[in-house]
Amino acid sequence: MDFASYIRDIEDFPKPGVVFKDISPLLKHPEALQKAAEALLGFTGNARVDKVVGVDSRGFIFAPLLAEKLGAGFVPVRKTGKLPYKTIAASYELEYGSGSLEIHSDAIEKGEKVLVHDDVLATGGTAEAVCKLVEQLGGEVIQCNFLIELTFLNGAEKIKQYQKKVLLQY
Ligand SMILES: O=P(O)(O)OC[C@H]1O[C@H](OP(=O)(O)OP(=O)(O)O)[C@H](O)[C@@H]1O
Ligand SMILES: Nc1ncnc2[nH]cnc12
């Protein structure tokens, strides 16, 4: 399937100079949605996965689908102030700003195998922060997978110690 034909470029969103990759056309197309989920699922093969971590908010679209198919649990990493229980936090920079993310302190057990999923890898600031949170809880990041990588922003460099899989590169 030609996934790229379901990704829309929005210029100057959310800030001047940024070309935003909008995945909405892919999400609303039943076959594209199904095939994208299948392709992401194929990235982990038969590897054991205990938890799939999805990143607030676009990472929440596919991560639970993957978790269900992999027989794993789903763990949300959320923007600061949204999780109700005890949390640990990490700050990060991204293509168009900065932020802070949190994970529940009991979300991952020591030694668990963790798949990290997000829709876009841009500068890698977000993914790096998420991997650090997982490791702080004693989890092992076995793979980070994404629908889209913006290679010109060099995010791969920031997460080079982890296995990275992507559906589409720009
Ligand atoms: O590689 P980076 O430069 O860190 O950028 C990637 C992040 O940026 C986007 O999230 P955003 O913070 O815009 O939040 P959203 O998913 O709620 O739209 C995207 O969903 C990734 O999480
Ligand atoms: N250009 C972009 N499009 C969509 N999501 C992003 N996250 C960071 N940069 C992005």
Side-chain angles (χ1 to χ4, degrees), residues 60-123:
F60 292 174
I61 299 165
F62 285 97
L65 298 178
L66 299 178
E68 193 273 329
K69 295 279 187 208
L70 292 165
F74 165 67
V75 170
V77 164
R78 296 217 60 185
K79 290 180 179 138
T80 293
K82 298 289 185 183
L83 288 172
Y85 183 63
K86 279 180 263 172
T87 59
I88 58 166
S91 297
Y92 61 100
E93 305 287 326
L94 75 163
E95 188 185 5
Y96 37 69
S98 62
S100 167
L101 290 168
E102 291 183 333
I103 190 168
H104 273 149
S105 55
D106 65 348
I108 290 163
E109 306 297 324
K110 282 195 179 36
E112 281 192 322
K113 310 272 187 197
V114 177
L115 166 64
V116 171
H117 167 78
D118 204 353
D119 67 331
V120 174
L121 174 65
T123 65

Side-chain angles (χ1 to χ4, degrees), residues 10 21 45 56 79-80 82 86 90 97 123-124 129 137 147 149:
I10 310 287
K21 295 290 179 193
D56 191 354
K79 290 180 179 138
T80 293
K82 298 289 185 183
K86 279 180 263 172
T123 65
L137 295 180
L147 289 172
E149 178 182 8

Side-chain angles (χ1 to χ4, degrees), residues 20-55:
F20 191 86
K21 295 290 179 193
D22 181 17
I23 63 169
S24 308
L26 182 144
L27 299 177
K28 78 170 183 185
H29 192 277
E31 196 192 350
L33 176 65
Q34 195 174 35
K35 296 273 189 231
E38 268 172 28
L40 290 171
L41 199 59
F43 287 154
T44 37
N46 295 324
R48 176 185 132 203
V49 178
D50 298 307
K51 298 278 166 59
V52 180
V53 168
V55 189

